[in-house]
């Protein structure tokens, strides 16, 4: 690369102000040169947006050059910027300047603004934690975790692949079974019976909300994308309405329950909180759906009561039924449906059970339970706070009766936490399997076309995956997607981790992936 005629005082004049909206003088942005023509520069920023700038006469840059620009003072009504770093900087930076430039680039990689305050936080982390590298320090700062010791420890475990949600759940299940089997029967029944009833009812309410949302969308002709939001709203309202109306011990008062549900849904019929101005379901159809739900509720009450009829309940079997709800099942005929919000709520219920069990377990049992509970609690909090990815989560899986873990990252094309466009997103999945070992999957969706790249542990496995591209093509077709390209290669470098996932995914898939049906 060459940079001709560059001097520190030469300024770029940014044409599209929206690209740098919200940035202040002195802040840094980074991007890659797409084109230079007639004194105009087109730059692709790391968040996927584009920036156009007028450059000084005689200035030249090759496409592909990676630049760091610093926002300058406005000239009239024109926003300006200057180069502070490039692939081949025109002057030798000092060691301090080089460190600051590297930190700025790392922060921008994670979607954070490289302000002086953010850079200072990264420097402080590096100073106070000598074993921490710059990439991890920038990740923690970009996610607002630089002053939280628990999140620092969790991030390092995840980045070093030392945390396994499924393994923690297995250890917790064993500890609870041992502790509760020796506890007072009345206390154990109160704890487990109430928990099981509450979890089963929460699932039934979510299913009820889903059914109501489907009917509402059909009657109102709402866009299907609204269904998820309506379901969450209905679930929340119904759960609030049912508080105090149900418990695991008293016989069901069907008339009272029907009235409670009908009142809650009647309020939503005229609620501004509902998309489209209110819940739209014909009365007769609503009555039928509610009566079905009441029959389900009675079945749940009888089922939970049955588990405690014998003199000594099978605590281990009961716990297995509770923990099973945290897993997603994958069998030969496919995977069960998964709602990440539902799974998170299930995990929170399990942690609540564990905390209450620690009180009944005595000193020895409590000592075994509490460290696992703390690690899982920190992990769930971490999953909810990470904003580098639209979604980051460990998902416990059961594949052909074998428990394992999947690591899921969903990345949007543009910054923000709004709804994911099902036709435009990037996905990374890291999956541990019994027979295939580690399988890394990089997926890019663009207008319904998918590019998928796999990385596996041996050439034999790579050949196996390639041989089954037809089955993958057909399975994706049933979901409304077209497989445009599939590649599979042997994993020759370190597996992807929490910190490197975005950068490696972009590298594997390519920033400007094209779809030309090369199957």
């Amino acid at each position: 690369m060459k940079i001709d005629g560059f001097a520190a005082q030469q300024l770029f004049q940014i044409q599209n102000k929206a690209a740098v909206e919200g940035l202040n003088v002195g802040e840094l942005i980074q991007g890659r040169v797409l084109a230079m023509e007639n004194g105009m520069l087109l730059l692709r920023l790391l968040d996927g947006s584009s920036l156009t700038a007028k450059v000084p006469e005689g200035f030249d840059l090759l496409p592909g050059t990676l630049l760091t620009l610093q926002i300058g003072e406005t000239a009239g009504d024109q926003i300006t910027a200057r180069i502070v770093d490039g692939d081949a900087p025109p002057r030798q930076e000092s060691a301090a300047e080089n460190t600051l430039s590297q930190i700025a680039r790392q922060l921008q990689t994670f979607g954070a603004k490289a302000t002086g305050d953010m850079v200072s936080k990264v420097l402080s982390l590096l100073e106070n934690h000598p074993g921490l590298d710059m990439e991890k320090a920038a990740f923690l700062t970009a996610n607002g975790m630089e002053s939280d010791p628990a999140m620092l420890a969790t991030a390092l475990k995840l980045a070093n692949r030392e945390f396994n949600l499924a393994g923690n759940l297995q250890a917790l299940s064993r500890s609870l079974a041992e502790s509760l089997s020796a506890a007072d029967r009345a206390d154990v029944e109160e704890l487990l019976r109430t928990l099981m009833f509450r979890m089963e009812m929460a699932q039934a309410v979510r299913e009820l909300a889903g059914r109501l949302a489907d009917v509402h969308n059909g009657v109102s002709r709402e866009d299907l994308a609204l269904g998820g939001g309506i379901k969450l709203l209905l679930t929340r309202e119904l759960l609030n309405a049912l508080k105090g109306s149900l418990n695991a011990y008293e016989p069901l008062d069907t008339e009272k329950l029907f009235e409670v549900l009908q009142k809650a849904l009647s309020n939503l019929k005229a609620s501004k909180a509902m998309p489209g101005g209110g819940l739209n379901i014909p009365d007769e159809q609503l009555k039928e759906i509610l009566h079905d739900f009441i029959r389900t509720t009675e079945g749940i009450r009888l089922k939970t009561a049955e588990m405690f009829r014998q003199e000594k309940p099978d605590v281990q079997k009961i716990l297995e039924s509770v923990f099973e709800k945290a897993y997603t099942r994958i069998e030969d005929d496919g995977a069960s449906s998964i709602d990440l919000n539902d799974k998170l709520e299930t995990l929170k219920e399990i942690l609540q059970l564990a905390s209450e069990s620690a009180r009944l377990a005595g000193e020895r049992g409590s000592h075994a339970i509490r460290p696992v509970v703390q690690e899982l609690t920190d992990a769930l909090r971490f999953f909810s706070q990470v904003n580098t990815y639209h979604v980051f989560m460990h998902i416990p899986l059961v594949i052909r009766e074998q428990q394992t873990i999947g690591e899921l990252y969903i990345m949007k094309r543009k910054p923000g936490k709004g709804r994911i466009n099902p036709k435009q997103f990037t996905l990374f999945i890291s999956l541990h399997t019994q027979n295939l070992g580690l399988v890394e999957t990089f997926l890019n969706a663009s207008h319904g076309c998918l590019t998928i790249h796999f990385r596996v542990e041996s050439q034999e496995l790579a050949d196996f995956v390639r041989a089954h591209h037809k089955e993958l093509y057909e399975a994706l077709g049933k979901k409304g997607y077209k497989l445009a390209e599939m590649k599979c290669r042997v994993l020759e470098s370190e597996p992807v981790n929490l910190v490197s996932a975005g950068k490696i995914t972009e590298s594997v898939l390519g920033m400007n992936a094209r779809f030309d049906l090369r199957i």
Side-chain angles (χ1 to χ4, degrees):
M1 185 211 91
K2 67 173 183 174
I3 299 180
D4 293 334
F6 172 77
Q9 69 271 20
Q10 290 182 327
L11 298 178
F12 293 177
Q13 296 181 348
I14 297 174
Q15 306 299 301
N16 49 330
K17 298 179 181 179
V20 293
E21 187 176 1
L23 293 180
N24 299 315
V25 174
E27 293 189 22
L28 303 177
I29 54 175
Q30 190 176 50
R32 197 171 292 279
V33 176
L34 295 181
M36 273 280 299
E37 188 174 349
N38 299 325
M40 298 297 294
L41 166 72
L42 178 60
L43 197 69
R44 173 65 59 81
L45 303 180
L46 294 184
D47 65 7
S49 62
S50 298
L51 181 151
T52 306
K54 184 178 180 181
V55 299
E57 184 178 351
F59 193 88
D60 185 33
L61 284 173
L62 294 176
T65 303
L66 186 65
L67 292 179
T68 299
L69 301 180
Q70 186 175 50
I71 301 299
E73 301 286 349
T74 56
D77 64 347
Q78 191 71 58
I79 298 175
T80 65
R82 68 179 183 86
I83 293 179
V84 295
D85 189 42
D87 288 341
R91 67 180 179 83
Q92 186 66 41
E93 286 185 312
S94 68
E97 289 175 320
N98 183 262
T99 297
L100 294 178
S101 295
Q102 289 183 53
I103 291 174
R105 287 195 294 271
Q106 290 288 357
L107 287 169
Q108 289 163 346
T109 297
F110 296 123
K113 293 180 181 179
T115 63
D117 181 54
M118 294 288 277
V119 172
S120 295
K121 289 177 180 178
V122 175
L123 287 170
S124 179
L125 264 179
L126 293 172
E127 181 180 347
N128 294 325
H129 302 276
L132 197 66
D133 62 40
M134 185 183 294
E135 189 175 40
K136 293 184 179 70
F139 175 88
L140 287 162
T141 303
N143 287 282
M145 300 175 179
E146 70 281 351
S147 59
D148 191 326
M151 294 300 93
L152 170 61
T154 301
L156 291 177
K157 285 179 183 177
L158 287 160
N160 296 329
R161 308 179 68 84
E162 295 171 353
F163 175 81
N164 186 310
L165 182 59
N168 275 274
L169 288 175
Q170 291 164 15
L172 184 58
S173 179
R174 289 192 296 269
S175 295
L176 292 183
E178 181 178 341
S179 299
L180 292 179
S181 294
D184 179 76
R185 185 196 193 286
D187 291 337
V188 172
E189 177 173 349
E190 174 66 24
L191 177 61
L192 293 181
R193 186 170 175 177
T194 303
L195 170 75
M196 287 196 64
F197 182 77
R198 187 170 67 239
M199 291 182 70
E200 292 278 357
M201 281 304 305
Q203 180 58 36
V205 168
R206 286 191 285 265
E207 291 172 1
L208 169 62
R211 188 175 174 187
L212 292 170
D214 288 342
V215 175
H216 168 81
N217 287 335
V219 172
S220 304
R221 302 187 184 281
E222 296 280 1
D223 186 327
L224 287 179
L226 294 176
I230 292 173
K231 180 183 174 182
L232 286 175
L233 174 62
L234 287 168
T235 300
R236 184 174 65 247
E237 293 297 323
L238 289 167
L239 286 173
N240 286 336
L242 289 170
K243 282 181 180 177
S245 300
L246 297 169
N247 65 59
Y249 293 91
E250 294 181 6
L252 196 65
D253 185 335
T254 56
E255 289 186 10
K256 178 183 176 183
L257 181 56
F258 185 82
E259 288 177 8
V260 168
L261 292 167
Q262 200 169 41
K263 181 179 178 181
L265 295 173
S266 294
N267 292 338
L268 287 173
K269 283 202 168 190
S271 172
K272 294 180 180 180
M274 283 291 295
L279 185 64
N280 189 2
I281 298 177
D283 288 341
E284 286 303 313
Q285 198 166 6
L286 179 60
K287 187 180 295 185
E288 179 187 344
I289 292 172
L290 292 184
H291 280 304
D292 286 346
F293 172 75
I294 289 170
R295 284 192 290 271
T296 299
T297 301
E298 177 63 11
I300 291 171
R301 192 186 68 80
L302 293 174
K303 175 185 172 183
T304 53
E306 185 64 32
M307 288 189 165
F308 295 92
R309 290 195 189 283
Q310 53 188 312
E311 184 177 344
K312 189 173 183 182
D314 190 336
V315 171
Q316 184 166 346
K317 184 178 179 181
I318 294 170
L319 286 173
E320 285 173 359
S321 70
V322 170
F323 276 74
E324 184 181 23
K325 297 181 187 303
Y327 286 80
T328 297
R329 283 194 164 272
I330 301 175
E331 304 296 347
D332 290 336
D333 57 351
S336 59
S337 62
I338 177 172
D339 184 314
L340 293 181
N341 287 316
D342 293 354
K343 295 301 180 186
L344 278 172
E345 290 304 313
T346 299
L347 289 170
K348 290 176 184 177
E349 287 279 17
I350 288 173
L351 290 176
Q352 180 64 28
L353 164 66
S355 296
E356 294 178 15
S357 298
R359 289 189 301 102
L360 307 177
E363 184 177 349
R364 180 180 175 186
S366 175
H367 184 73
I369 293 169
R370 292 193 186 282
V372 184
V373 170
Q374 188 60 58
E375 184 160 299
L376 285 168
T377 300
D378 290 341
L380 293 192
R381 186 158 66 91
F382 186 90
F383 296 155
S384 68
Q385 291 184 15
V386 169
N387 55 46
T388 298
Y389 306 105
H390 188 83
V391 172
F392 166 72
M393 188 175 175
H394 275 206
I395 302 177
L397 302 169
V398 175
I399 304 177
R400 297 179 184 176
E401 302 305 321
Q402 296 294 324
Q403 292 182 340
T404 185
I405 193 72
E407 200 166 347
L408 172 69
Y409 304 71
I410 301 177
M411 302 161 233
K412 290 184 64 180
R413 297 293 177 82
K414 294 181 180 179
K417 294 293 284 184
R419 189 182 303 279
I420 296 172
N421 182 348
K423 300 294 184 182
Q424 196 91 356
F425 63 91
T426 304
L427 182 72
F428 171 72
I429 302 173
S430 178
L431 183 64
H432 291 271
T433 69
Q434 183 179 32
N435 297 316
L436 299 180
L438 177 65
V439 179
E440 294 188 339
T441 303
F442 305 84
L443 184 150
N444 178 271
S446 180
H447 307 294
C449 291
L450 299 184
T451 288
I452 302 178
H453 290 196
F454 296 101
R455 298 203 306 188
V456 294
E457 294 181 345
S458 71
Q459 187 60 51
E460 181 182 9
L461 291 174
D463 294 339
F464 174 82
V465 172
R466 292 191 197 102
H468 288 79
H469 71 272
K470 183 178 179 181
E471 289 93 325
L472 180 60
Y473 184 94
E474 292 173 349
L476 289 170
K478 293 177 181 177
K479 298 293 184 181
Y481 291 97
K482 181 178 288 185
L483 181 60
E485 177 184 79
M486 187 196 85
K487 290 184 178 179
C488 187
R489 60 180 177 177
V490 177
L491 179 63
E492 296 176 342
S493 57
E494 284 293 313
V496 171
N497 63 47
L498 173 72
V499 178
S500 65
K503 181 170 59 179
I504 294 178
T505 300
E506 183 179 271
S507 173
V508 170
L509 292 171
M511 287 185 66
N512 299 302
R514 292 178 175 242
F515 306 97
D516 56 6
L517 299 178
R518 282 176 280 182
I519 293 180

